[in-house]
């Protein structure tokens, strides 16, 4: 997993000062939580909301971090399945960005929140 790169990308996107986070498990937990927060915010956001683009950017960045943090060699099928989930969420966020009423952000929120719960029990 490329945690240093993920941390750098997240920091650039949010300017959140994550340099103190060295635990990869914590970094993924934080990223999953940020993605969930963004997805929930996007469900109620309208086209004229000033924070719309910032929220979309943060959601895409969180998804990118999660996807690039996967280790396909060690993770095998689990990594492949997680990538598919993240890719589904990315496609739904992209649909929402285009104001597509068929964007299924609620399904993304559910699966990401389930992952947050499962992730909290791993360590």
């Amino acid at each position: 997993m490329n945690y240093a790169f993920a941390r750098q990308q997240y920091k650039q996107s949010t300017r959140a000062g994550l340099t103190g986070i060295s635990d990869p498990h914590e970094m993924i937990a934080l990223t999953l939580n940020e993605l969930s927060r963004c997805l929930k915010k996007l469900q109620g956001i309208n086209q004229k909301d000033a924070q719309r683009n910032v929220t979309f950017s943060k959601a895409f960045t969180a998804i990118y971090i999660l996807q690039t943090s996967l280790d396909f060699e060690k993770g095998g099928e689990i990594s492949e399945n997680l990538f598919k989930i993240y890719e589904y969420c990315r496609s739904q966020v992209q649909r929402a960005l285009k104001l597509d009423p068929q964007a299924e952000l609620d399904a993304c929120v559910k699966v990401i929140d389930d992952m947050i719960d499962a992730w909290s029990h791993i360590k």
Side-chain angles (χ1 to χ4, degrees):
M1 293 184 162
N2 191 346
Y3 298 108
F5 178 74
R7 183 174 35 248
Q8 178 184 359
Q9 290 298 310
Y10 187 85
K11 184 178 177 185
Q12 287 175 352
S13 173
T14 64
R15 298 189 172 120
L18 297 174
T19 56
I21 298 176
S22 60
D23 178 15
H25 188 274
E26 183 181 352
M27 183 64 188
I28 297 302
L30 188 141
T31 306
L32 285 168
N33 280 301
E34 177 66 8
L35 178 55
S36 175
R37 186 189 68 75
C38 289
L39 290 170
K40 290 171 184 173
K41 190 171 182 179
L42 290 173
Q43 287 178 308
I45 209 163
N46 66 48
Q47 184 176 351
K48 296 178 183 178
D49 190 319
Q51 289 295 311
R52 180 179 189 269
N53 290 338
V54 172
T55 306
F56 276 107
S57 178
K58 287 181 178 182
F60 283 125
T61 300
I63 292 167
Y64 178 75
I65 289 168
L66 293 166
Q67 287 180 319
T68 58
S69 295
L70 294 170
D71 185 336
F72 292 96
E73 289 179 23
K74 293 180 183 175
E77 187 177 346
I78 293 172
S79 291
E80 291 172 17
N81 289 336
L82 287 171
F83 186 87
K84 289 175 185 176
I85 290 169
Y86 300 145
E87 188 61 19
Y88 173 77
C89 291
R90 188 200 58 76
S91 70
Q92 296 311 305
V93 171
Q94 190 172 26
R95 288 176 80 172
L97 177 64
K98 295 176 182 178
L99 302 173
D100 183 342
Q102 301 300 317
E104 298 178 349
L105 294 177
D106 54 336
C108 294
V109 168
K110 170 130 180 52
V111 73
I112 296 300
D113 284 350
D114 287 347
M115 288 174 64
I116 290 169
D117 184 51
W119 192 253
S120 71
H121 291 91
I122 290 175
K123 194 164 185 177

